[in-house]
Amino acid sequence: MSEKRVYRWTATAVVLLVVSSLVAACGRESGGGGASSSEGKKTLRVALIGPQSGQLASLGDWDYKGVTLAANEINDKGGAGGLKIEITRMDDQGDPTTGGNLARKAVSQKFDVVFGSSSSTISLAMLPILTGAKIPQVTSGQADALTQQKSQYIFLDSPTSTTYDATLAEYVVGKLGKKKIAMITNNGAYGAGEHDAFLAQLKKRGVKPVADKVIPPDQKEMSGPLSQIRTAKPDALFIGAEEVQSGLIAKQARSLGIDATIVEGAPAGTPQYRETAGDEAAEGTIVSSPYLSNDLNEQTRAFAAAYKEAYGETAELHGAKAYDGLQLVAKAVASLDGKVSGEAIAQAMHDISYDGLLGHFDYNDVGVGLSQTHIGVIKNGEVEAVEDAG
Amino acid sequence: MDLREILQTGVGGLSIGAVYALVALGFSIVYRTIGLVNFGHGDVLMVGAFLMVTFFVNSHLAFPLALVIAVALTATMGFGFERVLRPLERKDLDLMLIGTIGFGIALEGAAVLIWGSEGQAMPTPINDTPINLAGVTVRSYDVLVLVLAAAVVVGLYLFLERAKAGTAMQAAAMDHEAATAMGIDVARCNGRAFAIGAGIAAVAGALVGPRLYVSAGMGAAVGVKGFAAAILGGFGNIPGAIVGGLALGLIEAYASGSRGSYSDVITFVVFTAVIMLRPSGLLGERTVSRP
């Protein structure tokens, strides 16, 4: 191969890379209309930024379904304070850079509220941009890092990792009496948040993990760290990773002969986790979640029935979170008497309280509205609430 | 890390390394025959994995049968792709290279359209019970992966050394003008190389599917590791591809076992160091020089 040819190849490859990353950065967009005038306001324009493709696509899909279901219900009842809610869906492809670019796009197109993203890492990338532009951001992320930014414009639609893990540690250490606990977490924003929160909870109870392994978020083959966890002979294995990776960890742990009880936050409660791990490996996993089943009360049953009718699927945590999130926004907007601005909506979100599917929302200064989760266990492929979780 | 842990980590590394070796083989077989790096190779693997999902998971066919169908379909696709590229071969190899990149992107797009953007989990085809060998736990599925990968390597070796078509491919790889003069249909050899490369990629996709997660984007990650493995062993060198794949799998396993969050960084720093010391790879490159 001549030197000239090598240069040509390299140059072409570089040009292609640049072009493809530019195209990717623009993201994909669907639904909703273009920019509309904010004067004589008739619509509340909501940008839904989330992963619609890639490994996190299920999360983006659930968020979309929950938000759309809530929007349709609110619009059918005359809208949020008379404003029709209009959802524009944007695909961040599970990538923080794309998410940041889409947040800038939402700012330049003057959206009233942004939902996004389904991942803590991407939500963190979007946060300074949206806060700077005074646009309220409702996120499905739950990493404590989101609240540490002390923004008045971020609103978590679920409890933080600390809440999930406090409930989990209390049950696993306090109730089940497990002391030999191994941890495997990824170093994305969600995984890192889970790592720190669970470790702090263990420390509080005087427990030091027998193994503490951190992996990159895109790692799929975990036999290296799992082999070392196996040597430590734990009786509980804490996972802090997104759905698919959690499922793979559970599957690979079992195939390596690790029989410790698997304990985790919300991801383990999803169908995605059970499908990836396989029923056998997922069986017995202990889950900490604010939404264990659709059968909690009248409100959750009605939501699940409407969800089933709209999408032909069984509702789960993420759809419920997103549904609650938009209901909260609508309630805040309705309290404004038509004087709608990002600043006013954010202020109203802090002022109101709301009894949603996940519990009682009452936002504090840093965007946390919920502070309770429950313990469930996977039995025969379904999450069952543990009654005496305490 | 005690000895048992070292062995334990090594066993896991060998299994994923065997898959990297298969991917590297696919890169190498095309490169040595045509002198072309098929940048769409990772995506061919992804298609193979998705075909396995279709036949093995969704249609509930037996694993061996599903594998044969997936390999046959993927190989046919590889053969067809070479036909599309063939007019370019006599003109410009650079254009062919761009063609392979475009082919990969097109495959990814098609996979999203056919199988969706979310991806799908694939269960292990055999009961994945751990086998205990003197304190080292071996996953039964890893044994299957190693056996099948070894079978592919032996099969490829026998084909290249013993079969007439294989010898013709070797001849075309060494000197395609002389081969043409001897009456060998070089274009057909190229088509075969693409088909074999794609078939091996399908086997790799089928084997790695249950370990990883089958999604439209999986080709990029596994493809890059396989490409690195091929370079590590010596690009275009068949034994080199195997050595490179296993070495990369082991480096990755130990890096991920000891310094988990830095595993990719460590793996590629080691890779770069080896390449700086031995630019033509561990076993040396068999260069293909085409005008």
Side-chain angles (χ1 to χ4, degrees):
Chain A
M1 192 172 2
S2 73
E3 214 168 301
K4 201 173 156 194
R5 179 166 286 183
V6 172
Y7 284 130
R8 271 165 66 191
W9 281 21
T10 317
T12 321
V14 168
V15 169
L16 266 171
L17 264 175
V18 171
V19 170
S20 61
S21 54
L22 279 176
V23 171
C26 293
R28 274 175 269 168
E29 190 182 331
S30 67
S36 69
S37 160
S38 55
E39 289 160 25
K41 215 166 173 47
K42 288 201 173 63
T43 57
L44 183 78
R45 297 178 62 243
V46 177
L48 178 74
I49 301 175
Q52 313 295 342
S53 53
Q55 198 171 299
L56 301 176
S58 294
L59 293 174
D61 188 48
W62 290 326
D63 273 353
Y64 174 73
K65 285 174 174 159
V67 165
T68 311
L69 188 66
N72 290 342
E73 283 181 12
I74 297 162
N75 287 341
D76 285 348
K77 288 179 191 156
L83 301 179
K84 185 175 176 288
I85 297 177
E86 192 182 276
I87 311 278
T88 301
R89 188 180 188 183
M90 301 178 192
D91 181 9
D92 64 31
Q93 299 162 17
D95 172 48
T97 312
T98 312
N101 289 335
L102 289 175
R104 276 186 208 98
K105 187 172 172 176
V107 171
S108 67
Q109 294 189 353
K110 298 192 168 50
F111 277 89
D112 298 303
V113 176
V114 170
F115 265 74
S117 171
S118 316
S119 121
S120 297
T121 311
I122 307 169
S123 302
L124 264 176
M126 291 162 56
L127 192 145
I129 300 158
L130 296 170
T131 296
K134 298 187 174 172
I135 297 179
Q137 176 188 3
V138 183
T139 173
S140 309
Q142 60 176 67
D144 288 278
L146 287 162
T147 64
Q148 285 153 7
Q149 312 302 314
K150 309 224 178 300
S151 163
Q152 294 288 309
Y153 291 88
I154 185 87
F155 299 94
L156 275 62
D157 62 15
S158 82
T160 60
S161 288
T162 298
T163 304
Y164 278 90
D165 294 342
T167 316
L168 194 59
E170 181 51 39
Y171 182 67
V172 174
V173 180
K175 277 268 171 187
L176 300 181
K178 296 197 187 287
K179 296 280 190 288
K180 289 183 76 179
I181 298 171
M183 296 173 61
I184 180 163
T185 52
N186 74 33
N187 57 357
Y190 171 72
E194 285 291 299
H195 174 269
D196 295 349
F198 193 70
L199 198 61
Q201 291 301 328
L202 287 185
K203 206 173 164 192
K204 225 174 172 177
R205 289 162 179 82
V207 175
K208 192 173 179 292
V210 292
D212 180 2
K213 294 289 167 192
V214 178
I215 53 173
D218 55 355
Q219 188 166 337
K220 306 277 175 57
E221 164 61 44
M222 272 80 60
S223 61
L226 285 173
S227 296
Q228 293 182 18
I229 285 177
R230 187 176 158 273
T231 320
K233 296 194 175 62
D235 48 25
L237 173 64
F238 172 80
I239 303 178
E242 284 79 1
E243 287 71 11
V244 169
Q245 198 176 37
S246 296
L248 290 172
I249 291 171
K251 184 180 182 181
Q252 293 176 19
R254 290 292 182 247
S255 73
L256 276 168
I258 298 175
D259 53 6
T261 308
I262 293 171
V263 304
E264 196 181 0
T270 60
Q272 193 95 21
Y273 167 78
R274 298 194 289 277
E275 279 160 23
T276 311
D279 285 339
E280 212 176 307
E283 189 71 8
T285 301
I286 290 170
V287 188
S288 168
S289 166
Y291 191 82
L292 287 171
S293 106
N294 290 318
D295 212 17
L296 296 174
N297 54 45
E298 213 43 60
Q299 197 183 357
T300 58
R301 279 189 283 272
F303 161 75
Y307 193 97
K308 183 99 186 170
E309 199 188 316
Y311 309 113
E313 288 171 21
T314 307
E316 52 63 71
L317 167 70
H318 295 83
K321 274 161 59 170
Y323 178 92
D324 272 352
L326 193 69
Q327 293 287 359
L328 272 157
V329 169
K331 198 170 180 209
V333 171
S335 73
L336 293 175
D337 283 337
K339 295 181 194 92
V340 178
S341 69
E343 217 169 339
I345 298 173
Q347 187 54 49
M349 293 273 288
H350 284 289
D351 293 343
I352 59 168
S353 65
Y354 167 72
D355 284 308
L357 301 167
L358 272 69
H360 182 72
F361 282 87
D362 192 355
Y363 280 105
N364 65 11
D365 288 349
V366 291
V368 182
L370 276 175
S371 48
Q372 198 190 0
T373 65
H374 312 284
I375 293 293
V377 62
I378 299 181
K379 268 190 191 157
N380 304 318
E382 295 292 332
V383 184
E384 275 181 25
V386 174
E387 295 301 336
D388 62 342
Chain B
M1 236 197 246
D2 62 19
L3 182 68
R4 213 175 55 191
E5 250 177 54
I6 293 174
L7 288 173
Q8 183 70 65
T9 311
V11 168
L14 279 182
S15 164
I16 193 79
V19 173
Y20 293 156
L22 288 183
V23 182
L25 270 181
F27 273 112
S28 287
I29 192 95
V30 172
Y31 180 75
R32 73 204 298 272
T33 313
I34 311 174
L36 176 76
V37 181
N38 178 9
F39 277 112
H41 192 66
D43 293 303
V44 174
L45 175 144
M46 176 269 299
V47 169
F50 263 124
L51 286 171
M52 276 308 282
V53 167
T54 302
F55 295 114
F56 172 59
V57 185
N58 300 343
S59 307
H60 307 290
L61 293 183
F63 187 79
L65 180 62
L67 182 64
V68 169
I69 300 176
V71 169
L73 285 177
T74 317
T76 312
M77 184 183 79
F79 193 76
F81 176 54
E82 194 277 333
R83 289 306 292 257
V84 176
L85 287 182
R86 197 175 289 178
L88 293 175
E89 208 222 336
R90 282 178 221 104
K91 294 195 177 102
D92 197 340
L93 216 54
D94 298 3
L95 286 175
M96 278 180 94
L97 183 100
I98 304 298
T100 66
I101 297 175
F103 177 59
I105 296 172
L107 283 184
E108 216 174 303
V112 169
L113 288 176
I114 300 170
W115 290 288
S117 58
E118 289 174 22
Q120 207 172 332
M122 190 170 151
T124 15
I126 55 167
N127 198 355
D128 206 2
T129 41
I131 308 166
N132 201 324
L133 285 178
V136 176
T137 305
V138 181
R139 297 179 284 188
S140 350
Y141 185 65
D142 284 347
V143 177
L144 180 74
V145 169
L146 287 167
V147 167
L148 275 178
V152 168
V153 171
V154 171
L156 183 68
Y157 176 79
L158 288 177
F159 172 76
L160 288 177
E161 296 297 323
R162 304 280 166 84
K164 206 173 163 186
T167 328
M169 275 174 67
Q170 299 264 57
M174 284 171 197
D175 187 339
H176 83 301
E177 277 169 4
T180 311
M182 296 300 288
I184 292 172
D185 186 344
V186 174
R188 185 180 284 172
C189 286
N190 292 350
R192 281 201 190 115
F194 260 95
I196 292 171
I200 297 175
V203 177
L207 292 180
V208 89
R211 269 286 170 260
L212 314 184
Y213 181 80
V214 182
S215 67
M218 77 183 288
V222 186
V224 166
K225 297 262 169 73
F227 186 50
I231 293 173
L232 192 65
F235 212 80
N237 184 331
I238 300 286
I242 301 158
V243 171
L246 295 177
L248 196 79
L250 287 173
I251 297 170
E252 195 181 53
Y254 287 116
S256 133
S258 55
R259 287 274 167 275
S261 44
Y262 297 101
S263 66
D264 277 351
V265 180
I266 297 172
T267 306
F268 280 94
V269 165
V270 172
F271 166 77
T272 312
V274 173
I275 290 305
M276 281 169 79
L277 293 171
R278 288 187 67 87
S280 54
L282 291 171
L283 299 196
E285 183 186 3
R286 286 188 193 161
T287 41
V288 177
S289 39
R290 287 286 171 87

